[in-house]
Amino acid sequence: MFLLHLFYKHLFTCQPADMRKSFLFLLMVVVPAVCFSQSFYFRHYQVEQGLSNNTVFSCQQDKRGFLWMGTKDGLNRFDGYTFRVFRNDPDDSSSIGDNFIRSMFISAGDTLHAGTRNGLYRFNSQKENFTALYRGSDEVKDIKKDQQGNIWFVAGQTLFRVNEKTGAIRTYDPLRYFSATSVCVDRYGGVW
């Protein structure tokens, strides 16, 4: 309080050229005294809290607020309170094809695509099941969608394009084109 009193007295007795110095003094002394820091609280979720595996390879949030986590042992959906785990069921063709979820992508239409060790799967949120878009023996490492509705993904070192409407798949063989490790779609629709 004493510093504010001195500053106030100085402000009305100083020359206009000293006003900048006075303002700088105010910023350096008074403002930090008023400011305070906010502490952050982090909650950790592990297997004990319902996560299917502590190794999380990918994480996305959909428009409904669900957090999706791809792990070594299933696809996890977290609603803020509990986990729902989607795993492969060999007796159910509408389950996800593998439990090892390496990559995910949620499109602008809020459709989740999950990349596993043996294919690319689309989640149907109404029925809470999966449709295989591509089945293969290479791990799906990256997934993106372009403005024309094509899904681009990298499996192994091969780039693929799937037309979601027709189901047609185009393969960009690394021996003929290039070895791919990731894919990016820019704001102009260019695929890199």
Side-chain angles (χ1 to χ4, degrees):
M1 197 64 165
F2 177 72
L3 288 174
L4 282 176
H5 176 72
L6 284 177
F7 176 74
Y8 183 76
K9 185 177 176 183
H10 173 72
L11 187 62
F12 288 102
T13 60
C14 69
Q15 297 294 325
D18 292 333
M19 290 295 280
R20 276 188 243 139
K21 291 178 185 176
S22 298
F23 183 70
L24 185 60
F25 172 78
L26 176 70
L27 286 177
M28 290 174 43
V29 175
V30 177
V31 172
V34 177
C35 293
F36 59 93
S37 65
Q38 179 179 353
S39 60
F40 291 98
Y41 176 75
F42 292 96
R43 178 170 284 169
H44 300 273
Y45 292 98
Q46 296 180 357
V47 174
E48 295 80 16
Q49 288 81 30
L51 188 64
S52 65
N53 190 288
N54 287 336
T55 302
V56 176
F57 290 111
S58 56
C59 187
Q60 295 278 318
Q61 184 173 14
D62 66 18
K63 290 181 180 176
R64 295 176 294 165
F66 290 124
L67 285 177
W68 293 87
M69 289 159 265
T71 71
K72 283 183 172 182
D73 188 29
L75 179 63
N76 295 253
R77 182 179 70 192
F78 185 61
D79 63 8
Y81 301 101
T82 60
F83 287 92
R84 164 99 192 265
V85 180
F86 297 91
R87 287 192 176 99
N88 174 259
D89 179 357
D91 297 328
D92 183 4
S93 63
S94 66
S95 70
I96 195 159
D98 189 37
N99 292 333
F100 193 97
I101 314 299
R102 171 60 82 178
S103 57
M104 285 188 298
F105 177 75
I106 297 178
S107 66
D110 213 27
T111 302
L112 172 76
H113 296 85
T116 69
R117 288 183 295 190
N118 64 8
L120 177 66
Y121 298 86
R122 178 179 55 224
F123 180 69
N124 180 342
S125 61
Q126 300 298 322
K127 297 180 181 179
E128 293 204 341
N129 63 11
F130 294 85
T131 303
L133 298 178
Y134 164 80
R135 291 182 195 263
S137 59
D138 289 324
E139 186 176 290
V140 176
K141 298 177 183 173
D142 197 10
I143 311 164
K144 298 292 186 287
K145 188 172 186 176
D146 67 18
Q147 296 170 348
Q148 289 75 36
N150 296 307
I151 301 293
W152 294 82
F153 65 96
V154 176
Q157 292 186 336
T158 305
L159 180 66
F160 293 87
R161 181 184 68 197
V162 177
N163 184 310
E164 274 199 293
K165 291 181 179 132
T166 65
I169 298 177
R170 175 152 184 215
T171 304
Y172 295 88
D173 186 8
L175 297 175
R176 184 167 178 217
Y177 294 97
F178 52 86
S179 293
T181 56
S182 61
V183 62
C184 178
V185 178
D186 65 25
R187 63 183 171 161
Y188 304 110
V191 178
W192 298 83

